[in-house]
Amino acid sequence: MRAFELYDATTVSEAVTLLKQNSDRAVKVVGGGSDLVGGILKDWVHGKGLPFPDVLIDLTTIKDLTQINAGSSEASIGAAATLSEVIDHKDIQAKFPLLVAAAQSVASPLIRNFGTLGGNVNQRPRCWFFRGEDFNCYKKGGDFCYAVTGDNRYHAIIGGELCYIVHPSDTATALLALNAKAKISGVGGDREVAFDSYFIGPREDVLRENVLKKDEFVTYITIPNPASGTKMAWNKLKDRQVYDFALTSVAVSFTMNGNNWNDGRVVVGGVSPVPYRAKVVEDALKGKDIKATAKQAAAQIRTVARPMSLNAYKVDLAAGLIERTILDALGN
Ligand SMILES: Cc1cc2nc3c(=O)[nH]c(=O)nc-3n(C[C@H](O)[C@H](O)[C@H](O)COP(=O)(O)OP(=O)(O)OC[C@H]3O[C@@H](n4cnc5c(N)ncnc54)[C@H](O)[C@@H]3O)c2cc1C
Ligand code: SF4
């Protein structure tokens, strides 16, 4: 393990000041540290896109950022709330069972007890070349993607270009389906970004996975209360029964007009460098009888999939899981 300086911030403004004071060094905020400390720093992988931090600013010591509040129009979850705290919160269970199911599917109870929502959404990708010290790929600042000619069985089938990671976060997939927003603080001030535009693909910047600047961090995640009668469901397929990242996951949230699709979102995880909003599927369902259309609508995912040499199986998984998740939301 490489040494680093650790600061226990107690307020958001103190964390921002620390970011400013350390702007000429490799500085990162940290939640539970299950990825940054237990993974990246321990494994000694690094590069331009994965610098070793000299300075860590702990966000879990900022009490405000551990709070969860369910208000009359939206819920606000502090970025330093642990996944277990999100799962156990009665109002979140009642209003957003989709988020609870997704958070419950993350890793193991131990990791959920100290891994934070902010850390889960902002964790770095799991591509085995990226995490391997011998591979200086595009995402680490190199000039090659080893997944193109190497073992790409877990890589992207949609939206890969230059780099073919899949976004690793289960909660990000659910939060996009719930139309969440990220509240962000940083040296340049505060801003709010909808999850629709929070994640960025390799074409925009191969070294990053989201819009955060080096001196910014997420303070809260807000989720609008769902309209009454909203249907939700979550499913995740893994390689093993024990904890694992998604081969494919699906989050759906929608309202109905009688038996027909009114409005909603279908988001697929494990298939693309960003949590993937499957608008082709949503469009095929618009105004239609959901039960009668689910299979044909889910198959639309095939029209946007561009699998690699070893991962065409994921296209079948995604089509099947989208159909199953829509039907699960209906209670069928
Ligand atoms: C064995 C194992 C299995 C796992 N399985 C799954 C799984 O099935 N599904 C899944 O989704 N995840 C999985 N994970 C990932 C795990 O959930 C994450 O490591 C954890 O949620 C990250 O939370 P953390 O608070 O520990 O993050 P940290 O390690 O503290 O931070 C992770 C990254 O996010 C950044 N960060 C943290 N907080 C913020 C913030 N507020 N704003 C901006 N950036 C921030 C950090 O700088 C760092 O780069 C697994 C991890 C392990 C070790
Ligand atoms: S998929 Fe991305 S992270 Fe993996 S080897 Fe290719 S460039 Fe690197």
Side-chain angles (χ1 to χ4, degrees):
M1 172 77 71
R2 206 179 115 122
F4 52 84
E5 286 170 31
L6 176 67
Y7 294 95
D8 291 343
T10 53
T11 61
V12 169
S13 63
E14 194 185 331
V16 171
T17 304
L18 284 162
L19 280 170
K20 196 170 177 182
Q21 285 168 348
N22 290 284
S23 58
D24 55 342
R25 307 170 75 190
V27 55
K28 294 283 279 180
V29 295
V30 65
S34 62
D35 185 28
L36 185 56
V37 181
I40 290 163
L41 278 162
K42 182 173 84 31
D43 293 344
W44 280 88
V45 282
H46 64 289
K48 188 177 165 208
L50 189 62
F52 273 135
D54 303 313
V55 177
L56 294 187
I57 302 169
D58 191 352
L59 299 182
T60 64
T61 45
I62 303 177
K63 202 157 178 280
D64 286 350
L65 298 192
T66 64
Q67 304 300 306
I68 301 176
N69 291 302
S72 55
S73 62
E74 64 176 25
S76 165
I77 305 178
T82 65
L83 295 174
S84 294
E85 285 164 347
V86 173
I87 292 164
D88 292 341
H89 198 281
K90 292 281 173 276
D91 293 328
I92 301 296
Q93 287 171 2
K95 288 184 179 163
F96 310 105
L98 166 54
L99 176 61
V100 170
Q104 242 158 357
S105 77
V106 170
S108 62
L110 179 66
I111 293 170
R112 296 195 293 270
N113 281 345
F114 67 94
T116 62
L117 188 62
N120 189 258
V121 167
N122 293 294
Q123 61 178 296
R124 302 305 308 276
R126 288 277 158 177
C127 168
W128 39 35
F129 302 111
F130 181 60
R131 296 275 175 156
E133 55 183 321
D134 297 331
F135 303 97
N136 187 30
C137 68
Y138 283 130
K139 195 166 254 313
K140 286 212 289 260
D143 57 3
F144 194 68
C145 172
Y146 295 86
V148 172
T149 50
D151 189 334
N152 50 39
R153 78 183 90 161
Y154 298 132
H155 286 77
I157 54 169
I158 299 172
E161 197 180 340
L162 273 183
C163 166
Y164 296 82
I165 58 151
V166 294
H167 200 280
S169 168
D170 289 321
T171 62
T173 304
L175 287 164
L176 179 58
L178 292 169
N179 192 17
K181 288 184 182 148
K183 288 195 169 175
I184 296 169
S185 288
V187 174
D190 299 339
R191 61 184 176 131
E192 193 172 58
V193 178
F195 267 49
D196 278 321
S197 32
Y198 183 76
F199 302 98
I200 57 175
R203 182 202 278 262
E204 222 166 311
D205 186 347
V206 73
L207 301 178
R208 299 188 290 163
E209 294 83 48
N210 56 53
V211 296
L212 286 183
K213 297 180 191 141
K214 184 176 171 271
D215 57 9
E216 287 184 322
F217 58 98
V218 177
T219 50
Y220 298 92
I221 288 168
T222 59
I223 320 171
N225 286 345
S228 98
T230 298
K231 307 282 184 190
M232 297 177 194
W234 165 260
N235 273 307
K236 171 175 169 181
L237 291 175
K238 304 176 286 183
D239 225 359
R240 334 177 279 173
Q241 281 302 310
V242 291
Y243 59 80
D244 206 350
F245 289 87
L247 289 176
T248 305
S249 61
V250 179
V252 300
S253 171
F254 58 87
T255 54
M256 298 174 71
N257 243 338
N259 292 329
N260 294 0
W261 179 276
N262 179 38
D263 192 22
R265 292 174 174 228
V266 175
V267 181
V268 190
V271 294
S272 172
V274 296
Y276 181 72
R277 185 161 173 201
K279 289 199 175 151
V280 280
V281 178
E282 295 170 16
D283 288 346
L285 284 160
K286 226 164 252 170
K288 305 262 176 54
D289 181 298
I290 298 176
K291 195 171 171 187
T293 319
K295 191 180 190 68
Q296 178 202 332
Q300 289 300 310
I301 199 74
R302 296 180 187 281
T303 64
V304 289
R306 302 281 178 273
M308 304 176 81
S309 56
L310 297 175
N311 66 7
Y313 74 98
K314 277 195 177 190
V315 183
D316 294 332
L317 288 190
L321 200 66
I322 292 169
E323 180 193 0
R324 188 200 296 176
T325 310
I326 293 167
L327 295 178
D328 283 354
L330 288 178
N332 289 286

